[in-house]
Amino acid sequence: METIIRSKTQEVIVAPDKPTVIIGERINPTGKKLLAESLVKRDMSRVRKLAESQLANGATVLDVNVGAAGVNEVEVLPMAVQAVMEITDVPLCLDSANTDALRAALQVYKGKALINSVNGEEKKLAAILPLVKEFGAAVIGLAMDDAGIPASADGRVAAAAKIVQRAEALGIPRADILIDCLALSVCSDSTAALTTLESIRRVRAELGVNMTLGASNISFGLPDRDAINEAFLAMGIAAGVNAPIVNPDTSRRIILISDLLLGRDEFAMNYMCYFREQKDKTPAA
Amino acid sequence: METIIRSKTQEVIVAPDKPTVIIGERINPTGKKLLAESLVKRDMSRVRKLAESQLANGATVLDVNVGAAGVNEVEVLPMAVQAVMEITDVPLCLDSANTDALRAALQVYKGKALINSVNGEEKKLAAILPLVKEFGAAVIGLAMDDAGIPASADGRVAAAAKIVQRAEALGIPRADILIDCLALSVCSDSTAALTTLESIRRVRAELGVNMTLGASNISFGLPDRDAINEAFLAMGIAAGVNAPIVNPDTSRRIILISDLLLGRDEFAMNYMCYFREQKDKTPAA
C-alpha cells in the first residue's frame, strides 16, 4: 500500500518496501521558547531556519505546528506554511488541534498535504475526516478513542480500525491514512513499549496501512533519552513503522541503519552516502 | 522454556521473559595477536584479564576459545577454563571446533557448561551431541547443515529443527539447545539481516527454543560497525534472541535498553543502575 504526499513539484511515497520517510518534527513551539516568541510576533525567520536545518539532515516531509500561548493559529499556521513553501518544495504535514487552522492552512498549501491528526474520538472524526475528503489530503490517525489511549494492543488496533472504517465510509482510501500506534513512557509502565510494538505489528498485518510514530515519549523520565529513542525507533521500524515523526538531527542515523538492516538500501548506498557526508563535516585531524 | 547453565555455585537462566543473558565473546584469539601469543606460551594472564573486564561490563556467561596457530587446543582449552574458574564463578561457554578439546575442557569444568557449537552437518551432529548427552551440558546449535548456511529463512529453520530433533532423539531436552540463526554481512546481500530476523521469529514460534546470536558479522565491510551491530542486536532481541554472544564493553547498553523496551526491566531498575555506574566512571566536570 502506498501513501502519497505531494508538494507543488515533489512527491513522497510511503510504502513498506521503500526507504523510511523522515517527517521532521522541529517546527513546533512546544518547549522552544524563542520559536514561540517569534510566532507570537509573526516573525517566520526561525520557522525557515528550522526547515533548512531539518532538510540538511535528511527530512523529506516537514511537520508544521504553531500551537503556543498567544498565537492565533488560524492566521499563523497558513503564514508558517507559506514561509516554508517559499524555501523548499518538500511536502508538508499540517499539524494543529484546531480544525479552522487546518482548513486555513490547507487553503494556502499547494499539493496533497498530510494532516496531523485525527483519532477515534467521535468529535475528531466528525471534524477532521470531511476536511481530509474535501482537500484530497492524507491524514495521521492516532490509535485512541473517546475512552483515551487504550492500554492494550487490542484496544489500539480497534481504534485504528475504527478510523480506517470511518474514513473509507466517506470515500477516503485507506492508503491515505498513516496510523500512529502511540508510545507512552516505559518509566511508568514497563510494558508500554511492548504494547506499542505489538499494536504496530498487528496494524500492519490486520489493516495493511502505513504507519507513523512519535517515538520520543517512550523515554520520558529516563536519562540518556536519545539512546532509548533510537533503539525503540529501530524496533518500531522493524515492526512496520515507515514514516516516523522525529528530530532528524538525532534520528537520521538509526533510520538509515534500520533501512540497511531491513533490505531497503541496496549496496548500502544511502548509508555510505550519509557516512561520507558526516565524515566531510568533521574537521580533519 | 528455560535453558539453564551452571558453574559450581552459580546458575544462569535463559528464558523469554527474563533479562537478556550476555555471553562475553572476548576470550578468543581471532584478531588478538597478543592473546594468541600468550596462549602459545600457555600464559593465562591475558585470559584472566579479559574475564575480569567482561565481568565488570555485565557479562554473566563467558565464552572461552583458544583456537590459534601453534596452540594445542586439547591441552590449552582446559588450562584456560581452569584459569577463568579460578577468578570467577560465572558459568562458561566452551568454544572449539575440536571435539577432543571440548571433551578435555568438559572434564575439568565444574557445573553444566554451554558447548559452542554443533550444527546440522551430519559429522558435527555425530561428534558433538553424544558429548552434550554424556556431560549433561547445554549446546549452541548453528542453523546450517551439510549444504552450508541456507540463504532462506525456510532453510535455517529446517536446519535448526534438524538439530533439535537429533538432540531429542538422543534424550537431550530442547531446553538445552540455544539456536544461532546466523548473521551474514548486509554489505554483500541487502536481505541478509531480514533473513536472520525472520529465522529468529520463526524459530521462536515453531521450535520454542531459546536463542543466541553472534551479531557482529552483519556489519562486515561497512563503516561505523558498532552502530549497525547495536541496531541489529536490538531488532534481534525484539525478535527472540535472549543470550547473544557479544563484546560486553560495546553491547551492554543496547542490551539493557532492549530489555527495558521489551518489558523485562521493571521500574527501569537495571537501566538506571547501569546509567549511574557509567556516570560514576566519568570524572566530574
Side-chain angles (χ1 to χ4, degrees), chain A residues 190 193 223-224 253 261-263 271, chain B residues 190 193-194 223-224 253 261 263 271:
Chain A
S190 65
D224 203 2
R253 188 179 73 158
L261 293 173
L262 297 170
Y271 178 72
Chain B
S190 66
L194 266 183
D224 202 2
R253 188 179 72 158
L261 293 173
Y271 178 73

Side-chain angles (χ1 to χ4, degrees), chain B residues 132-149:
Chain B
V132 175
K133 173 73 178 166
E134 179 183 346
F135 287 88
V139 66
I140 291 174
L142 311 182
M144 57 181 287
D145 56 23
D146 286 293
I149 300 178

Side-chain angles (χ1 to χ4, degrees), chain B residues 27 31 36 39 50 65 106 114 148 153 161 168 171 185 218 232 234 237 241 261 272 281:
Chain B
I27 303 176
L39 289 169
L50 286 167
N65 181 311
L106 284 160
L114 177 61
E168 287 186 331
S185 174
I218 207 76
F232 184 58
I237 292 171
V241 168
L261 293 173
M272 290 302 299
K281 282 185 193 168

Side-chain angles (χ1 to χ4, degrees), chain B residues 52-85:
Chain B
E52 279 161 1
S53 69
Q54 292 182 98
L55 294 170
N57 283 313
T60 49
V61 175
L62 294 177
D63 188 86
V64 183
N65 181 311
V66 299
V71 175
N72 178 336
E73 287 193 59
V74 180
E75 292 176 11
V76 176
L77 188 59
M79 289 175 68
V81 165
Q82 200 82 57
V84 176
M85 284 195 301

Side-chain angles (χ1 to χ4, degrees), chain B:
Chain B
M1 192 168 307
E2 292 192 347
T3 305
I4 297 175
I5 319 167
R6 279 192 209 92
S7 68
K8 207 168 50 180
T9 63
Q10 290 183 16
E11 187 169 275
V12 167
I13 301 176
V14 182
D17 57 339
K18 292 213 186 306
T20 300
V21 169
I22 299 179
I23 305 178
E25 71 182 6
R26 301 204 65 221
I27 303 176
N28 186 324
T30 307
K32 293 193 192 78
K33 204 175 160 227
L34 293 174
L35 177 60
E37 285 170 5
S38 70
L39 289 169
V40 171
K41 291 186 224 152
R42 304 188 175 199
D43 165 8
M44 295 297 146
S45 56
R46 280 183 187 277
V47 167
R48 276 189 287 264
K49 266 187 200 147
L50 286 167
E52 279 161 1
S53 69
Q54 292 182 98
L55 294 170
N57 283 313
T60 49
V61 175
L62 294 177
D63 188 86
V64 183
N65 181 311
V66 299
V71 175
N72 178 336
E73 287 193 59
V74 180
E75 292 176 11
V76 176
L77 188 59
M79 289 175 68
V81 165
Q82 200 82 57
V84 176
M85 284 195 301
E86 278 162 21
I87 59 156
T88 176
D89 265 4
V90 299
L92 302 185
C93 176
L94 312 179
D95 184 0
S96 177
N98 180 325
T99 309
D100 293 334
L102 288 173
R103 171 176 288 279
L106 284 160
Q107 278 162 347
V108 303
Y109 182 70
K110 303 273 187 285
K112 179 181 177 186
L114 177 61
I115 294 175
N116 189 0
S117 60
V118 71
N119 62 44
E121 293 169 5
E122 289 300 332
K123 217 174 113 183
K124 267 288 182 195
L125 291 164
I128 302 297
L129 290 183
L131 210 60
V132 175
K133 173 73 178 166
E134 179 183 346
F135 287 88
V139 66
I140 291 174
L142 311 182
M144 57 181 287
D145 56 23
D146 286 293
I149 300 178
S152 69
D154 277 348
R156 296 208 199 161
V157 175
K162 179 181 179 186
I163 296 167
V164 169
Q165 283 154 11
R166 294 298 184 86
E168 287 186 331
L170 283 182
I172 299 163
R174 73 171 67 196
D176 282 341
I177 302 168
L178 292 180
I179 292 294
D180 183 338
C181 288
L182 301 171
L184 298 173
S185 174
V186 285
C187 192
S188 43
D189 172 7
S190 66
T191 66
L194 266 183
T195 302
T196 305
L197 292 169
E198 192 193 333
S199 304
I200 292 167
R201 271 188 293 270
R202 288 189 45 195
V203 165
R204 159 73 58 240
E206 295 172 30
L207 304 176
V209 295
N210 292 307
M211 276 174 281
T212 184
L213 182 68
S216 61
N217 280 344
I218 207 76
S219 60
F220 187 80
L222 291 167
D224 202 2
R225 294 188 61 177
D226 282 348
I228 300 173
N229 294 348
E230 282 188 25
F232 184 58
L233 206 46
M235 290 180 183
I237 292 171
V241 168
N242 47 14
I245 302 192
V246 294
N247 178 346
D249 311 356
T250 50
S251 298
R252 187 185 185 191
R253 188 179 72 158
I254 193 66
I255 290 172
L256 286 169
I257 289 175
S258 299
D259 281 348
L260 174 68
L261 293 173
L262 297 170
R264 302 170 191 160
D265 184 8
E266 207 162 4
F267 307 116
M269 288 288 283
N270 294 336
Y271 178 73
M272 290 302 299
C273 285
Y274 165 79
F275 188 80
R276 284 199 196 128
E277 203 182 292
Q278 296 305 304
K279 225 175 131 191
D280 291 345
K281 282 185 193 168
T282 313

